[in-house]
Amino acid sequence: MTLDISKIRQDFPILEREIRPGVKLVYLDSTATSQKPVSVLAAMDEFYRHSNANIHRGVHVLAEESTAMYENAREAIARFIHAKSPRQIIYTRNTTESINLVAYSWGRANLKNNDLVILTEMEHHSNLVPWHILAAEKGIRLEFIPVDDQGLLDLDVYRNLLSQGPKLVSFTHMSNVLGTINPAADIIKLAHEAGALALLDGAQSVPHFKIDVQALDVDFMAFSAHKMVGPTGIGALYGKTELLEAMPPFLGGGDMIKEVKLRSFRPNDLPYKFEAGTPAIAEAIGFGAAVKYLEGLGMDAIAAHEQEMITYALERLEEIPGVKVFGPVAEKKGGVAAFTLTGVHPHDVAQILDSLGVAVRAGHHCAQPLHEKYNIPATSRASFYLYNTREEIDALVNGIYKVKEYFG
Ligand code: C6P
């Protein structure tokens, strides 16, 4: 099934916006955050207008309705990634908080001085800094699977690292800079054979192609709603039940307890043990609406569309003299094209593109070590999602020619 993009675009009111008079928005920054369809906006609006109440705390009708909506969303999210049970879905604020939850709770309970955690050189800061903090506190060792010139992980080095008996392998499914889709199933299988657990950063994969956590046999997976047509402020951690059950709580407070005495407490069951305080209720409901929207279109159709977009984008970008796109060939990556233009700073590229209505991101994209590896301070990055068109890629390319003209 192919997507009807012009119909899909009608679901996203923001895409109709003129950025300034006569300049139409060309939104090529979905890797940073995606736009939201009316069904997500309506679900949140309906909740606030009709059912707003705190969850798990009242017996009145509104409290029952809001609790049901909050939990129905959790069920939809569990189904979406094929988790066995909704109890395995912990609501967090985002991917960053999900990874921090694992580092803080599982890491502090299970890692000790000199234990090895394997990461990769293409990680986002959110899958680096929590482990740096743990390294400073506990003396754990960090090793990194290198990235080669094509933007692929060197799995021979990985196999060698595994012989050192790591406790955890934590890696991104898809790079937010290179677009590389890593062979997650193989990496996880090898980790397990070496006796390690595997944490998958799904921030850039869950929004873009079908994920089956049971088929992947992954131990933990972190993802954010806002990158998958859902609202900001809500994300999830998936975990295997036996691991989550054995982990100590992360934050303490209301809702995460069964019983509290003046000098002690008993933690609640899953998933509430990890959800302290009043959560982002409307956002969770929006998250549920987002996964339903994606399911309605079909993840395979979304992935196929993005593959078409990136294939066309690479073809067009590579024809521009001075443009260097980072990362592998289209078949090995998702819809992300980070590039440099000889003689022009990536921020200047982004600024001139913005004057033409083309929204791209410039900087190190929270992956500073990766940019250091390639010896560049920054890149400009165009990224594509289910609502982007070939015409928008043409607008990007025409814009880059304008940048070249401007800088002579
Ligand atoms: N990358 C980007 O522009 P949060 O911010 O917690 O929702 O997601 C963090 C994160 C983790 N892993 C990967 C691979 C990511 O791409 C991101 C977010 C955005 O590339 C914002 S920096």
Side-chain angles (χ1 to χ4, degrees):
M1 204 187 79
T2 53
L3 299 180
D4 182 346
I5 304 300
S6 53
K7 191 155 165 280
I8 287 173
R9 289 178 70 86
Q10 291 169 14
D11 294 335
F12 293 83
I14 204 170
L15 299 179
E16 286 306 306
R17 230 198 105 165
E18 286 192 344
I19 285 306
R20 14 199 108 74
V23 180
K24 252 198 105 204
L25 169 67
V26 174
Y27 188 73
L28 301 180
D29 198 17
S30 294
T31 291
T33 199
S34 67
Q35 297 302 347
K36 325 300 175 198
V38 281
S39 61
V40 169
L41 307 179
M44 295 173 72
D45 185 68
E46 171 69 8
F47 165 72
Y48 277 129
R49 281 177 194 274
H50 196 72
S51 305
N52 176 51
N54 211 331
I55 53 155
H56 302 145
R57 282 171 173 84
V59 290
H60 57 78
V61 170
L62 296 188
E64 279 174 4
E65 280 178 13
S66 66
T67 304
M69 289 164 92
Y70 181 79
E71 293 304 333
N72 287 344
R74 195 193 308 271
E75 278 169 28
I77 296 158
R79 231 182 12 249
F80 185 70
I81 60 165
H82 200 222
K84 264 191 211 139
S85 159
R87 295 173 66 235
Q88 297 175 282
I89 303 296
I90 315 292
Y91 285 128
T92 60
R93 279 190 305 145
N94 45 38
T95 302
T96 304
E97 188 172 291
S98 299
I99 298 173
N100 274 275
L101 194 166
V102 176
Y104 188 95
S105 170
W106 179 86
R108 279 176 178 78
N110 291 282
L111 298 177
K112 56 181 189 323
N113 187 36
N114 236 13
D115 278 349
L116 176 62
V117 171
I118 298 179
L119 307 168
T120 85
E121 287 180 343
M122 64 168 77
E123 295 313 309
H124 186 277
H125 297 168
S126 63
N127 195 28
L128 290 169
V129 182
W131 308 111
H132 293 165
I133 293 172
L134 213 52
E137 190 183 312
K138 290 238 170 197
I140 63 166
R141 282 189 306 128
L142 304 178
E143 293 290 349
F144 301 88
I145 309 173
V147 179
D148 67 17
D149 289 344
Q150 290 171 61
L152 300 173
L153 293 178
D154 186 334
L155 295 183
D156 289 333
V157 175
Y158 176 47
R159 284 191 190 87
N160 280 338
L161 288 172
L162 287 173
S163 67
Q164 297 180 29
K167 290 283 171 16
L168 177 73
V169 179
S170 186
F171 67 102
T172 188
H173 202 169
M174 177 169 134
S175 163
N176 64 323
V177 177
L178 306 169
T180 313
I181 298 173
N182 290 316
D186 295 342
I187 294 173
I188 293 164
K189 188 163 175 278
L190 288 168
H192 287 163
E193 283 167 8
L197 295 183
L199 187 161
L200 192 59
D201 173 351
Q204 299 297 349
S205 59
V206 180
H208 300 287
F209 48 91
K210 199 177 266 169
I211 302 289
D212 181 332
V213 285
Q214 292 184 67
L216 283 172
D217 195 24
V218 69
D219 299 290
F220 298 108
M221 185 174 76
F223 52 112
S224 298
H226 72 94
K227 294 189 196 288
M228 46 195 288
V229 309
T232 52
I234 186 96
L237 173 70
Y238 159 84
K240 284 188 179 161
T241 306
E242 60 279 15
L243 292 170
L244 293 173
E245 273 176 346
M247 281 159 54
F250 174 37
L251 302 173
D255 233 27
M256 53 69 71
I257 44 84
K258 263 207 174 116
E259 185 188 47
V260 181
K261 308 266 189 199
L262 272 182
R263 296 188 189 279
S264 64
F265 76 97
R266 278 197 302 128
N268 208 339
D269 294 328
L270 290 179
Y272 314 113
K273 178 168 81 172
F274 295 109
E275 294 177 6
T278 299
I281 305 167
E283 287 76 4
I285 292 161
F287 196 176
V291 300
K292 285 180 192 155
Y293 182 84
L294 295 176
E295 269 170 350
L297 296 178
M299 290 310 289
D300 289 341
I302 291 170
H305 175 68
E306 289 177 26
Q307 188 52 226
E308 188 192 324
M309 289 295 104
I310 190 65
T311 303
Y312 182 62
L314 292 188
E315 215 177 276
R316 296 268 2 239
L317 287 169
E318 279 159 8
E319 84 193 14
I320 308 173
V323 166
K324 175 174 164 50
V325 183
F326 291 81
V329 290
E331 303 80 68
K332 291 188 178 169
K333 69 192 259 168
V336 183
F339 61 94
T340 51
L341 175 62
T342 309
V344 188
H345 194 280
H347 282 105
D348 293 332
V349 173
Q351 203 136 33
I352 294 179
L353 288 175
D354 177 60
S355 71
L356 303 166
V358 181
V360 300
R361 186 176 169 187
H364 53 57
H365 316 296
C366 302
Q368 221 172 347
L370 180 67
H371 283 76
E372 257 167 41
K373 163 99 184 183
Y374 288 117
N375 237 331
I376 41 170
T379 48
S380 308
R381 184 189 68 186
S383 53
F384 316 108
Y385 204 12
L386 46 87
Y387 34 64
N388 290 119
T389 63
R390 282 173 170 250
E391 291 70 34
E392 290 181 309
I393 293 169
D394 292 337
L396 167 72
V397 170
N398 294 340
I400 297 172
Y401 278 113
K402 290 243 163 66
V403 176
K404 280 169 70 82
E405 260 170 51
Y406 185 84
F407 282 90

